[in-house]
Amino acid sequence: MHKHPSLPVHFLSPVLPPFLSPPASPVSTAPHHSAAAMPTVSVKWQKEVFPGIEIDTSQPPLVFKSQLYTLTGVPPERQKIMVKGGILKDDADWSTLGVKDGQKLMMIGTADEIVKAPEKGPVFVEDLPEEEQVVALGHSAGLYNLGNTCYMNSTLQCLHSVPELKSALLSYSDTARGNGIDQASHNLTLATRNTFGELDQSVRPIAPLQFLQFFFKSDSEQTLRKKYPQFAQQHNNVYMQQDAEECWTQLVYTLSQTLTSDASESAVLSMKQLFGIDLVSRVHCAETGEESMETESVYSLKCHISQDVNHLHEGLKHVLDCPVCSFLLEKGIKPKGKDFTMFYCQKVDYPLELDVYEFCSDELKQKLQAPRQMLRDAENAKFGLKTQGKASSSKENEGSSSNTGESSSMDIDKGKWFVLTGFKLILLVCVLNAADPSVPKKQLTGVYDLVAVLTHKGRSADSGHYVGWVKQDDGKWIEYDDDNPNIRKEEDILKLSGGGDWHMAYICMYKARMAESKS
């Protein structure tokens, strides 16, 4: 076989015409960065020196500043690094700065405060002590239903919202029984004090056993059952549902007898100072023309409700202006021969802000004019409006002329809280603070804000279900449905005006809006 000698093989690129030849690559004029182009420098900051810091000259100086931030904690915007020509800028060209390997740079700047790890980890509300849980929760605990006792629970929750009443109860000692106070009333007052204390210190529902025991039962000859026998009624050995208004009335009356200056500290206001309303009635004899004035003090106003009454003001005016005035009209009617109260289911609106100026006597209207003007000026200043001075009070002066047609008027100068019942209205008035010269003197204005509503759901006062709705200091409302408190909105409260089988306002409690005297 003939073998050819091996020859080298050459792969020749085809020769292309100039117009098909690819364009020549441009010659880069940028400097070539090699390992030698990353100088290592040291940086002096305050009393510290940070050696061996490499500078990547292919990156802007902001990257170098970020390196220093991780070492010193000085943010880039606060760093002032001295280089050739002045202070290093974020967009400077390294090639013009002449930074050399081993060079020592100086930096000025204030470091951020070092974020310390929290000393304590996150704490859940469930892990807090019970007294701290009460503060975190924002409202008091609920009350267990001990068998048809929702009437009692709702009453206690509404009255528990009165801070002045709680102060009076706290000052009532175990040995404070005064002259003429029976043991049963004394025990009931102590039970109320202790129940309020438990509500303030617990986040879990409590069972008001002590209060229930002393309310209608006593170990000594069942004194309280004799005093309030209606609350001990039973059916098939089960205690029956009762009227919350009767419970409210009996409890307030008992506390008015025990919480006096003799039994508690003199600085504590009495129940009459808190809830008292003076009613002045003019009795006129049509035949002889003789007239007489009668004054009585009550702890609540009964609002008469008929088919023609659609608002709280109308019911109050009907009671106070009627020729033959009765202050015992209920929201319901009691048919003859029956021992229960039937309820009207018509809708009767009530305001969040109640102004009782038109129901006051002429003398009291004169006293209220100056505080009412101060209140208006304060509210106008709060919203950046101009004060009206004495001009607006003239309109109230016109309305304060002698009203010969009125048969009754109201004197709220002594009350602090205003209560409407049956629809029953309860006016709740603040402390005057007149005894403490360091506290600005506060005066009544005749304007009251709704702070609690006791509602009933059902067709009879002695059946159905009672619930308390209480306004908190932060403005939110809490629905106390026995042992289940729920947060509610203000618009939910306005829906309690009746008109169906939903909750219907039965007792409304208002707190006085006071005016601070500058003198």
Side-chain angles (χ1 to χ4, degrees):
M1 173 185 270
H2 179 72
K3 295 183 179 180
H4 298 279
S6 61
L7 297 175
V9 180
H10 297 279
F11 294 92
L12 300 177
S13 300
V15 179
L16 299 177
F19 62 87
L20 292 178
S21 300
S25 300
V27 179
S28 175
T29 59
H32 178 68
H33 297 286
S34 60
M38 296 183 64
T40 301
V41 299
S42 61
V43 178
K44 184 179 184 302
W45 174 66
Q46 294 181 355
K47 296 181 180 181
E48 297 184 69
V49 177
F50 301 92
I53 304 176
E54 290 186 345
I55 300 178
D56 187 353
T57 55
S58 66
Q59 301 293 331
L62 183 60
V63 176
F64 174 61
K65 290 185 176 182
S66 299
Q67 290 178 265
L68 296 179
Y69 174 62
T70 60
L71 295 173
T72 63
V74 181
E77 63 271 13
R78 296 184 194 169
Q79 296 178 13
K80 294 182 179 180
I81 303 173
M82 308 303 174
V83 294
K84 181 181 178 180
I87 299 175
L88 179 63
K89 297 182 179 179
D90 294 344
D91 56 352
D93 186 357
W94 285 110
S95 62
T96 63
L97 299 178
V99 178
K100 300 179 181 180
D101 190 59
Q103 184 174 346
K104 188 175 183 179
L105 303 178
M106 179 178 291
M107 185 185 74
I108 301 174
T110 306
D112 281 339
E113 184 179 356
I114 300 177
V115 180
K116 298 180 180 179
E119 297 180 359
K120 297 181 179 180
V123 179
F124 298 97
V125 175
E126 295 81 1
D127 299 329
L128 291 172
E130 190 163 350
E131 58 273 10
E132 296 183 21
Q133 291 185 37
V134 175
V135 178
L137 194 61
H139 59 80
S140 59
L143 293 167
Y144 283 116
N145 192 317
L146 304 179
N148 291 328
T149 59
C150 58
Y151 70 94
M152 181 188 71
N153 291 345
S154 55
T155 297
L156 287 173
Q157 292 288 9
C158 290
L159 291 176
H160 175 256
S161 67
V162 183
E164 294 81 9
L165 177 56
K166 290 196 289 186
S167 298
L169 286 168
L170 286 175
S171 66
Y172 188 83
S173 64
D174 297 346
T175 59
R177 180 181 171 187
N179 296 330
I181 304 300
D182 59 275
Q183 186 65 40
S185 298
H186 174 69
N187 290 340
L188 181 58
T189 304
L190 293 177
T192 306
R193 181 200 66 184
N194 297 339
T195 302
F196 282 8
E198 290 184 66
L199 287 174
D200 289 331
Q201 298 172 7
S202 176
V203 293
R204 289 181 288 272
I206 66 172
L209 290 170
Q210 184 186 19
F211 182 89
L212 183 63
Q213 174 188 4
F214 287 119
F215 195 61
F216 59 78
K217 181 179 178 181
S218 174
D219 294 335
S220 57
E221 300 179 0
Q222 298 184 345
T223 306
L224 282 174
R225 177 172 289 181
K226 292 181 179 179
K227 188 171 185 179
Y228 305 130
Q230 67 270 33
F231 300 107
Q233 294 176 350
Q234 297 186 26
H235 179 69
N236 294 331
N237 294 324
V238 177
Y239 287 109
M240 298 173 58
Q241 177 70 286
Q242 302 296 331
D243 189 344
E245 188 272 334
E246 294 180 2
C247 176
W248 184 300
T249 302
Q250 299 291 6
L251 179 57
V252 169
Y253 173 77
T254 300
L255 296 179
S256 68
Q257 301 298 308
T258 57
L259 297 181
T260 60
S261 57
D262 297 335
S264 58
E265 298 177 5
S266 58
V268 176
L269 296 180
S270 65
M271 292 294 289
K272 185 174 182 179
Q273 290 174 300
L274 287 175
F275 294 96
I277 305 171
D278 288 342
L279 294 177
V280 182
S281 303
R282 180 175 61 88
V283 181
H284 175 77
C285 181
E287 296 182 358
T288 62
E290 296 180 359
E291 288 189 2
S292 63
M293 304 293 290
E294 296 180 357
T295 303
E296 64 172 326
S297 295
V298 295
Y299 292 104
S300 65
L301 286 182
K302 307 289 180 73
C303 175
H304 174 73
I305 293 181
S306 63
Q307 295 181 352
D308 299 329
V309 175
N310 298 312
H311 196 275
L312 183 63
H313 264 92
E314 298 173 358
L316 287 176
K317 191 173 182 180
H318 180 83
V319 172
L320 296 174
D321 289 353
C322 62
V324 180
C325 191
S326 172
F327 298 101
L328 298 178
L329 293 174
E330 300 287 346
K331 186 173 185 178
I333 55 175
K334 289 189 176 182
K336 293 182 179 180
K338 297 185 179 180
D339 57 354
F340 56 88
T341 303
M342 298 297 294
F343 278 84
Y344 289 120
C345 293
Q346 71 184 71
K347 183 177 181 180
V348 179
D349 294 320
Y350 54 91
L352 295 174
E353 174 187 312
L354 178 67
D355 192 345
V356 298
Y357 181 82
E358 64 175 299
F359 304 125
C360 298
S361 62
D362 292 344
E363 180 183 357
L364 183 56
K365 286 181 179 179
Q366 293 292 335
K367 294 180 181 179
L368 292 177
Q369 285 178 14
R372 288 169 70 86
Q373 185 59 50
M374 288 190 294
L375 180 63
R376 279 192 292 265
D377 293 343
E379 293 180 347
N380 289 340
K382 181 179 179 181
F383 294 102
L385 303 177
K386 294 182 179 180
T387 58
Q388 298 180 0
K390 298 182 179 180
S392 61
S393 63
S394 60
K395 295 181 180 180
E396 291 181 347
N397 256 335
E398 295 175 3
S400 65
S401 58
S402 178
N403 297 319
T404 56
E406 286 187 356
S407 61
S408 299
S409 59
M410 197 166 52
D411 188 348
I412 57 170
D413 190 37
K414 295 181 180 179
K416 308 303 176 293
W417 298 77
F418 195 80
V419 181
L420 286 168
T421 62
F423 227 116
K424 300 184 165 85
L425 172 66
I426 300 179
L427 274 177
L428 184 59
V429 185
C430 298
V431 182
L432 295 177
N433 293 327
D436 189 353
S438 63
V439 179
K441 185 177 180 180
K442 295 183 179 181
Q443 302 181 42
L444 295 172
T445 61
V447 180
Y448 294 81
D449 296 307
L450 185 68
V451 293
V453 181
L454 191 152
T455 62
H456 177 267
K457 185 177 181 181
R459 298 301 179 97
S460 170
D462 298 329
S463 64
H465 186 56
Y466 291 98
V467 174
W469 312 68
V470 178
K471 188 177 183 179
Q472 308 298 298
D473 293 336
D474 57 3
K476 68 181 179 182
W477 285 79
I478 303 296
E479 174 196 4
Y480 288 102
D481 188 355
D482 288 330
D483 59 329
N484 185 28
N486 297 296
I487 299 177
R488 297 301 182 198
K489 298 179 181 179
E490 193 171 78
E491 50 263 32
D492 296 329
I493 307 305
L494 295 176
K495 297 177 183 178
L496 305 175
S497 54
D501 290 330
W502 183 238
H503 294 279
M504 178 187 300
Y506 188 37
I507 299 179
C508 295
M509 184 163 68
Y510 288 81
K511 180 177 182 178
R513 193 182 301 176
M514 312 294 284
E516 290 191 5
S517 176
K518 298 180 180 179
S519 57

